[in-house]
Amino acid sequence: MIAATLYASAAFSQQPAPQAPKPQVNVRTDAVMFKGGPSLGDSDKVRWEKIPPGKYVAVAALGNITREIAFEVKDGAVTELAVDFEAAQLTLVPKRSPDSKEAEPLARVTVTQDEFSDSVYGSKELFVPAGELKLEGRIGPAVAEETITVKAGDTVSHDVIIPSGVVVTNAVYKEGGRQVETDSIRFEALADTQTLDGTRTTITGTYGPGKIMQMPAGNFIMRAKLGKVTVEKPFSVTAGQRTDLSIDLDAGVLVVSAPQAERIDIVETTKDLQGTQKEISGRYGTTHQETLHPGTYAVKVTYDKKANRDPKEVSATVTASERTEINITD
């Protein structure tokens, strides 16, 4: 169906002179996708709009392609409007790899040419202007760009290859030990090359084990962080495949309870040349829990002045894949 709306700027007198009967239709529209092609005039794929003022401008749209036609409507006459969209019919099929059998529904492909722009998710047909088109496909952080050329009247299907896969990462407190189940763990996929300042670019990340991360194909570093433990592991992503990754944190949990404590601090047992122990973790309150690498640590407890108690320091040993609890009461 073609919808047409007309806006007039001419004023009519209150008592018009008798006129000959006017035609019931005073504007006929037609459109073709390409010169010499079949009519689209009665197709609901074409929209016609008229915008004021005065003489009119018809705006015809085929998908996101628009064309403007200046015209004038005269009493007792039928105005013929025709438009050539100079367009092609393009079906985009985004895939993770050339041998993927199915289109990727999560993929977003954007098509641009000068003022024209349109985007689709998954496999979809759209109308595009003839000529050179720029395509950008995205699946999460994976991006692919290319340029294609279509002719007016073409009906084309094009595979957009976005080399990508998925990564599912889990962690254990030690090899063969307990699985990490807390959503406090942070996984970050990093570039395998360092920038000039020695850092790595973060590609994507998530909290919690077993989550799916969309990734471009290539080589990367996975960083896992839980409490004061940070571990990195290299991995690779193959286009169109799933990568399952397990990271050994080599860590345990230390839980400290100290009634009447104002603050609990976990520090290194060794001292620097100035006699200072490096602080690892601390918080205000009577309890503190931290994930740490195996080893022996010093736990310092300070009390509110009202408690009239001297600071206290004890040692605690953390074992991989175990929970160590100490209660400081004396």
Side-chain angles (χ1 to χ4, degrees):
M1 175 184 292
I2 301 174
T5 304
L6 302 180
Y7 299 87
S9 61
F12 296 91
S13 63
Q14 293 183 353
Q15 296 180 344
Q19 297 180 352
K22 296 181 181 180
Q24 293 182 349
V25 177
N26 61 359
V27 177
R28 287 198 184 99
T29 59
D30 193 16
V32 292
M33 193 169 73
F34 60 97
K35 188 174 182 180
S39 172
L40 297 173
D42 292 326
S43 170
D44 59 5
K45 294 181 179 179
V46 182
R47 303 186 311 274
W48 288 91
E49 299 175 5
K50 279 79 181 180
I51 55 178
K55 296 180 180 180
Y56 305 107
V57 174
V59 180
L62 179 64
N64 278 15
I65 305 174
T66 58
R67 296 288 185 265
E68 294 186 359
I69 308 169
F71 71 100
E72 182 178 2
V73 177
K74 296 181 179 179
D75 289 341
V78 176
T79 301
E80 303 282 350
L81 295 181
V83 61
D84 177 0
F85 283 104
E86 282 292 305
Q89 197 167 311
L90 175 63
T91 299
L92 295 171
V93 186
K95 297 182 177 181
R96 292 182 183 269
S97 67
D99 58 355
S100 296
K101 296 181 179 179
E102 302 292 336
E104 175 52 59
L106 296 178
R108 181 174 187 262
V109 182
T110 300
V111 186
T112 57
Q113 182 197 97
D114 300 327
E115 300 299 320
F116 171 83
S117 179
D118 204 350
S119 295
V120 296
Y121 280 92
S123 180
K124 192 173 182 180
E125 174 190 284
L126 68 161
F127 293 101
V128 296
E132 188 175 271
L133 302 168
K134 293 181 179 179
L135 307 182
E136 181 189 80
R138 288 182 175 270
I139 304 175
V143 181
E145 296 179 340
E146 62 175 307
T147 300
I148 64 172
T149 300
V150 297
K151 297 178 180 179
D154 281 352
T155 298
V156 182
S157 179
H158 182 76
D159 289 353
V160 181
I161 308 303
I162 311 167
S164 59
V166 299
V167 178
V168 178
T169 309
N170 288 283
V172 293
Y173 286 99
K174 77 171 184 181
E175 193 68 34
R178 296 181 181 180
Q179 291 275 340
V180 174
E181 298 177 345
T182 175
D183 281 343
S184 296
I185 190 169
R186 170 73 175 171
F187 295 109
E188 286 188 332
L190 312 173
D192 66 336
T193 56
Q194 296 181 339
T195 60
L196 291 177
D197 62 2
T199 60
R200 299 181 188 274
T201 302
T202 298
I203 308 300
T204 187
T206 186
Y207 283 95
K211 306 290 179 61
I212 292 178
M213 287 190 283
Q214 302 290 340
M215 288 288 297
N219 299 318
F220 305 93
I221 301 292
M222 184 65 75
R223 176 182 292 163
K225 185 175 182 180
L226 179 60
K228 295 301 176 180
V229 173
T230 300
V231 177
E232 294 183 351
K233 182 176 181 177
F235 71 101
S236 298
V237 176
T238 301
Q241 296 185 17
R242 167 178 169 144
T243 300
D244 287 290
L245 193 64
S246 179
I247 297 182
D248 179 4
L249 295 181
D250 185 29
V253 177
L254 176 61
V255 182
V256 181
S257 297
Q260 296 185 309
E262 180 182 47
R263 181 177 175 85
I264 300 173
D265 289 287
I266 302 172
V267 299
E268 292 184 350
T269 56
T270 57
K271 298 179 180 180
D272 61 20
L273 292 178
Q274 303 299 321
T276 303
Q277 294 165 286
K278 181 180 179 181
E279 182 176 325
I280 298 172
S281 175
R283 71 183 298 271
Y284 287 96
T286 58
T287 60
H288 182 38
Q289 176 175 310
E290 192 61 273
T291 302
L292 303 163
H293 282 301
T296 300
Y297 299 88
V299 179
K300 292 184 174 182
V301 179
T302 54
Y303 298 91
D304 186 272
K305 292 181 180 179
K306 295 179 181 179
N308 196 27
R309 299 184 63 176
D310 294 329
K312 191 172 183 63
E313 180 176 327
V314 300
S315 64
T317 300
V318 175
T319 304
S321 197
E322 292 186 11
R323 179 183 178 91
T324 301
E325 298 183 1
I326 61 172
N327 187 17
I328 304 172
T329 56
D330 295 334

